[in-house]
Amino acid sequence: SSALPPMGHKWVEPKRPLSSLTPRSLSPPKERGGPTNNSIPFSRTPTPIKFLGQEFSGGYAMVRSSQVTFDLKPEYKLFTALVGCCEGECRRVRILIDGQVAWEKASLSSLDQAIPVVIPIPTGSSLLTLETGPDQGTMGIAGFAKAGFVK
């Protein structure tokens, strides 16, 4: 049932989904529309992450100026996710490892296909952060679906 990534990307299913892990930190807090596990922020009832109308699970959705950080374990070799924009326009969507940008997209629209991202985790790394920039459109919601770690 999972959507196949565009040709040329070697997609890997995560063995440890982010949705099964407790984040080290989350900003802003969930009550104020912070990153939401498996749902769109500010939704009255849990609303799945969707790209181009297709539902995805196993990840986080976030509005602008949001961050969620996870502890990295030595056995994690890769981070993998389908990154897209669920609603509106998303700007400066980033994945950081120990504060260094490992992947970045300046702009994403909800009309774009989600991008399969596979990032090797350097040995000795301790933190992985998903982040959206402050200049995102007010209604932009970025999604990191099917996100997690490969051992």
Side-chain angles (χ1 to χ4, degrees), residues 29-47:
K30 202 174 159 183
E31 312 73 75
R32 297 220 309 270
T36 320
N37 188 351
N38 270 338
S39 179
I40 301 286
F42 293 120
S43 41
R44 286 191 187 83
T45 56
T47 306

Side-chain angles (χ1 to χ4, degrees), residues 62 66-72 79 92-105 117 119-122 125-133 144 149:
M62 47 179 88
S66 298
Q67 278 194 337
V68 60
T69 299
F70 295 88
D71 289 308
L72 291 170
F79 172 74
R92 216 184 75 208
V93 178
R94 289 175 161 180
I95 300 169
L96 302 101
I97 294 177
D98 289 345
Q100 302 294 309
V101 177
W103 184 89
E104 180 171 22
K105 194 88 174 103
V117 177
I119 299 171
I121 297 168
S125 304
S126 57
L127 297 173
L128 177 120
T129 303
L130 308 178
E131 159 184 297
T132 52
F144 297 85
F149 299 106

Side-chain angles (χ1 to χ4, degrees), residues 13-150:
E13 282 282 345
K15 297 282 177 282
R16 282 304 306 268
L18 283 191
S19 47
S20 71
L21 302 168
T22 304
R24 165 183 274 261
S25 65
L26 222 144
S27 144
K30 202 174 159 183
E31 312 73 75
R32 297 220 309 270
T36 320
N37 188 351
N38 270 338
S39 179
I40 301 286
F42 293 120
S43 41
R44 286 191 187 83
T45 56
T47 306
I49 294 172
K50 280 186 189 170
F51 302 131
L52 299 175
Q54 190 179 352
E55 290 187 10
F56 290 92
S57 61
Y60 278 78
M62 47 179 88
V63 295
R64 65 181 177 179
S65 299
S66 298
Q67 278 194 337
V68 60
T69 299
F70 295 88
D71 289 308
L72 291 170
K73 295 209 166 79
E75 64 266 26
Y76 297 163
K77 300 288 180 269
L78 298 171
F79 172 74
T80 180
L82 279 176
V83 185
C85 188
C86 308
E87 293 176 19
E89 289 279 334
C90 300
R91 302 232 160 73
R92 216 184 75 208
V93 178
R94 289 175 161 180
I95 300 169
L96 302 101
I97 294 177
D98 289 345
Q100 302 294 309
V101 177
W103 184 89
E104 180 171 22
K105 194 88 174 103
S107 164
L108 279 169
S109 151
S110 55
L111 304 174
D112 296 332
Q113 280 230 275
I115 302 161
V117 177
V118 178
I119 299 171
I121 297 168
T123 311
S125 304
S126 57
L127 297 173
L128 177 120
T129 303
L130 308 178
E131 159 184 297
T132 52
D135 45 358
Q136 185 157 305
T138 19
M139 297 317 294
I141 297 177
F144 297 85
K146 296 180 92 56
F149 299 106
V150 179

